[in-house]
Amino acid sequence: MSSFVGIILLLIAVEIPGSFQHDRGHSKFRGPQVSQTAGTPWPMPLSYHTQATFTYVDAGEFKFTDVDESSSCSILEEAYNRYFPLIFGRRPETLFFKSSFKAPTDAMTELMVKLEKPCKDTDYPMLESDESYTLDVNGNQAMLSASEIWGVLRGLETFSQIVYQSNDGGFVVNNTQIVDKPRFNHRGMLLDTSRHFISVPILMTNLDALAQNKFNVFHWHIVDDQSFPFESSTFPNLSEQGAYDPETHVYTQTDIKNIIEYARMRGIRVVPEFDSPGHTSSWGYGQPDLLTKCYTGSQPNGQFGPVNPVPNSTYVFLKSFFTEIAQLFPDHYMHLGGDEVSFACWQSNPEITSFMKKMGYTSYSQIEEYYMQNLLNIVGGLGKGYQIWQEVIDNGAKVRADTVVEVWKAGWEAEMEKVTKLGYKTLLSTCWYLNYISYGSDWMAYYGCEPFNFNGTDAQKQLIQGGETCMWGEYVDGTNVISRLWPRASAVGERLWSAKEINSAFLAQSRLTEHRCRMVRRGFQAEPITGPGFCREEFGGV
């Protein structure tokens, strides 16, 4: 059965728990009804079949059991510890139904977990990682199977969502069969920590939310014009001079390692972005002579533009700096930016004008191409892959064949056609800029974006690695970033994980309302997605 038919079946099959027929002799539920969508997973699995028959889950006796203990590792053990309270650890003061319920003797007491490929304590997720899994719940027996540890993590999240609290206070799970895998391998979120600093605890809270919505990439736009909060061990002056405050508004090496580890344990890659040659004003405070001096007539005017691409010292610095980045961040990819480069300062600078004549260049885009090719050679020489924004290609630069291009501007359909026709792997983020807000249910528009909706061959569309949702930091910091992101980002997560046919915001609305309340119950300040309403367990404060 197709996944699209499966969702229709779900909408028909899932009824109010009070109407379920239980074949173990317990009476029907009384009192307030739980939601019709209680126990519905998010995002929608590839194949999801559920029945009215349910089983109680004994919270007091429940455990996760490895089919083969030799396949386990610390990633899996920590996940078990993390998911038990996610399933059963509701805050007593917010429970709608109190916890006096005693589970029957035939209740479910374990989830069997079968991992085909043994995991290692040091495993790190990759673009090619296998996140597929199957989950079978039949009576009081439940089995989660996956090839790799990353599939187990996604399956544990799904299992934690399909267990819900019934009217009598007990935890229940319906008979359910799920076969699931992501549609795209790259499902990312860009978060900007330069325009406003976001503390490490908030970043970790967001990583929890990412994992619980099956995202797998944290695109960390860590520095920009406004501030340089990255604390470099090689060039400490960059943050000492470029951060808002070098004591309180920086990410130390320990902070970054902790964030990477926190993400890794949740199957999330951390891809750092150090955007250049533009968006580098904050770099110049701590690295003299890195930026281009702007001229008025024959004299410098005291202003600075993009990185100066001419002197050899620029590339000596870049090689040392990105060597440090390559050693600190284990992911194969770095994002190297390349967007919104103003040529005005380069045009005013006599050193660059002379260099253009020497090289026979007729366009300033060739200067950008010269810079980017040198930078890509440096990063490639460190054994790393790289991502760039679309402007590098739009300005006519020729970059290495294995470059990943991120499309973010309007007119993305034509851009995707052009970039993939050139043979570059591509990410789409145009449709999913969460910093653009409007009154009402603006999340519904995110379902209208389909990454394959451009003119291109099958070979071109195979170059689409996935997409990203973006939160730029002009108007968010630690006080509001979580509520601004969630659950609006959940809609993007479903578009990137679920089948192409799962594209109706109308059909998603009741499920997303349920998922939003699930996030609130778990302690996230997830904002309402519709008009008036309520969650059984409201947010209780921080």
Side-chain angles (χ1 to χ4, degrees):
M1 180 182 292
S2 72
S3 56
F4 181 73
V5 175
I7 188 172
I8 300 300
L9 175 63
L10 166 68
L11 293 171
I12 295 173
V14 176
E15 301 174 350
I16 298 174
S19 68
F20 287 173
Q21 298 301 310
H22 200 313
D23 58 7
R24 290 179 175 81
H26 296 286
S27 63
K28 292 183 180 180
F29 297 148
R30 301 293 182 185
Q33 301 294 298
V34 299
S35 166
Q36 288 184 310
T37 51
T40 304
W42 189 277
M44 178 59 65
L46 178 65
S47 174
Y48 173 46
H49 303 285
T50 189
Q51 302 170 14
T53 304
F54 64 85
T55 299
Y56 284 101
V57 183
D58 191 335
E61 299 295 329
F62 187 84
K63 61 182 178 180
F64 301 98
T65 302
D66 295 316
V67 172
D68 182 358
E69 291 185 1
S70 65
S71 297
S72 188
C73 64
S74 60
I75 302 172
L76 187 54
E77 293 166 1
E78 182 174 312
Y80 291 161
N81 292 333
R82 186 168 67 249
Y83 273 102
F84 189 90
L86 285 177
I87 299 171
F88 304 112
R90 276 70 166 178
R91 301 186 304 279
E93 68 274 15
T94 63
L95 277 176
F96 189 81
F97 301 109
K98 300 306 178 184
S99 56
S100 59
F101 178 85
K102 181 175 176 59
T105 57
D106 61 350
M108 180 183 294
T109 59
E110 67 178 353
L111 172 66
M112 300 292 293
V113 178
K114 183 179 180 181
L115 177 58
E116 295 178 10
K117 181 181 177 182
C119 62
K120 300 177 182 178
D121 293 347
T122 57
D123 281 348
Y124 183 86
M126 299 181 294
L127 177 67
E128 301 81 9
S129 293
D130 184 354
E131 298 174 280
S132 65
Y133 67 93
T134 62
L135 180 59
D136 184 21
V137 178
N138 186 10
N140 61 8
Q141 303 295 311
M143 172 71 78
L144 168 62
S145 302
S147 175
E148 296 185 8
I149 179 63
W150 317 116
V152 171
L153 295 183
R154 305 303 172 228
L156 287 172
E157 177 58 41
T158 297
F159 182 78
S160 77
Q161 295 178 1
I162 66 174
V163 176
Y164 59 97
Q165 195 175 27
S166 66
N167 292 355
D168 58 6
F171 293 98
V172 298
V173 60
N174 293 68
N175 280 4
T176 303
Q177 293 76 44
I178 292 174
V179 179
D180 201 10
K181 65 177 181 179
R183 183 181 178 206
F184 293 108
N185 286 355
H186 185 117
R187 306 178 308 282
M189 174 182 286
L190 177 149
L191 194 55
D192 168 15
T193 60
S194 170
R195 291 169 173 86
H196 281 97
F197 183 80
I198 299 176
S199 70
V200 171
I202 298 295
L203 292 180
M204 288 182 171
T205 296
N206 191 57
L207 287 169
D208 283 326
L210 287 171
Q212 293 174 31
N213 288 269
K214 295 188 174 72
F215 282 86
N216 66 353
V217 178
F218 171 29
H219 174 170
W220 193 354
H221 189 90
I222 191 167
V223 303
D224 208 295
D225 282 328
Q226 290 76 15
S227 74
F228 199 102
F230 171 74
E231 193 172 85
S232 168
S233 59
T234 309
F235 300 97
N237 279 345
L238 288 171
S239 60
E240 288 177 6
Q241 302 297 321
Y244 286 134
D245 187 307
E247 297 295 329
T248 61
H249 286 59
V250 293
Y251 302 106
T252 68
Q253 300 271 310
T254 299
D255 289 337
I256 290 169
K257 290 176 182 177
N258 288 340
I259 288 170
I260 292 169
E261 178 66 3
Y262 197 87
R264 182 183 75 91
M265 300 300 279
R266 288 153 180 76
I268 297 172
R269 301 162 47 211
V270 179
V271 176
E273 180 181 355
F274 290 89
D275 192 357
S276 71
H279 289 274
T280 49
S281 294
S282 66
W283 302 46
Y285 298 120
Q287 190 62 26
D289 301 322
L290 177 65
L291 304 183
T292 303
K293 294 179 180 179
C294 305
Y295 278 66
T296 300
S298 60
Q299 298 296 321
N301 60 19
Q303 302 297 311
F304 294 89
V307 171
N308 189 338
V310 174
N312 185 61
S313 60
T314 291
Y315 303 103
V316 172
F317 162 76
L318 291 172
K319 184 174 182 179
S320 295
F321 180 74
F322 280 101
T323 295
E324 177 184 355
I325 301 305
Q327 292 171 349
L328 182 59
F329 289 88
D331 200 83
H332 177 64
Y333 285 96
M334 299 181 190
H335 203 300
L336 302 178
D339 64 318
E340 299 179 324
V341 180
S342 172
F343 295 155
C345 187
W346 281 352
Q347 291 169 340
S348 75
N349 185 285
E351 180 185 17
I352 292 180
T353 302
S354 176
F355 180 75
M356 284 188 66
K357 292 179 181 178
K358 175 184 174 182
M359 300 295 290
Y361 292 162
T362 58
S363 168
Y364 285 90
S365 64
Q366 292 173 289
I367 292 282
E368 182 183 16
E369 178 181 355
Y370 173 83
Y371 171 85
M372 291 303 300
Q373 286 178 336
N374 275 285
L375 178 57
L376 296 182
N377 287 338
I378 289 170
V379 173
L382 297 171
K384 293 288 189 177
Y386 26 75
Q387 301 165 357
I388 57 174
W389 296 106
Q390 69 178 74
E391 284 95 323
V392 180
I393 303 301
D394 294 345
N395 290 335
K398 300 296 187 294
V399 295
R400 289 171 53 151
D402 54 352
T403 301
V404 179
V405 180
E406 183 159 5
V407 174
W408 70 277
K409 289 187 172 183
W412 63 267
E413 297 91 343
E415 186 74 15
M416 298 279 275
E417 179 183 2
K418 178 180 73 174
V419 171
T420 56
K421 193 171 184 178
L422 292 170
Y424 298 122
K425 296 176 182 178
T426 310
L427 299 170
L428 177 64
S429 60
T430 304
C431 320
W432 301 313
Y433 268 45
L434 300 186
N435 49 290
Y436 294 153
I437 59 175
S438 59
Y439 185 78
S441 301
D442 60 357
W443 63 271
M444 300 184 85
Y446 305 150
Y447 276 88
C449 186
E450 169 49 52
F452 286 161
N453 278 355
F454 66 92
N455 293 324
T457 64
D458 289 342
Q460 284 177 257
K461 293 181 179 182
Q462 288 177 5
L463 293 171
I464 308 302
Q465 292 186 328
E468 294 190 335
T469 184
C470 301
M471 178 57 76
W472 297 97
E474 288 90 348
Y475 298 101
V476 293
D477 62 9
T479 65
N480 66 343
V481 66
I482 297 299
S483 60
R484 185 70 57 83
L485 283 169
W486 304 102
R488 296 162 70 231
S490 303
V492 183
E494 181 159 86
R495 290 299 288 136
L496 294 173
W497 177 279
S498 301
K500 180 180 180 180
E501 293 79 10
I502 307 300
N503 58 8
S504 169
F506 174 76
L507 291 178
Q509 182 167 311
S510 60
R511 294 187 297 109
L512 185 55
T513 299
E514 176 71 25
H515 183 59
R516 179 251 168 179
C517 287
R518 180 188 295 130
M519 294 189 72
V520 169
R521 182 174 68 237
R522 292 179 174 186
F524 297 101
Q525 293 173 278
E527 67 181 19
I529 64 161
T530 60
F534 73 102
C535 294
R536 287 199 303 167
E537 300 166 54
E538 298 287 4
F539 184 76
V542 294

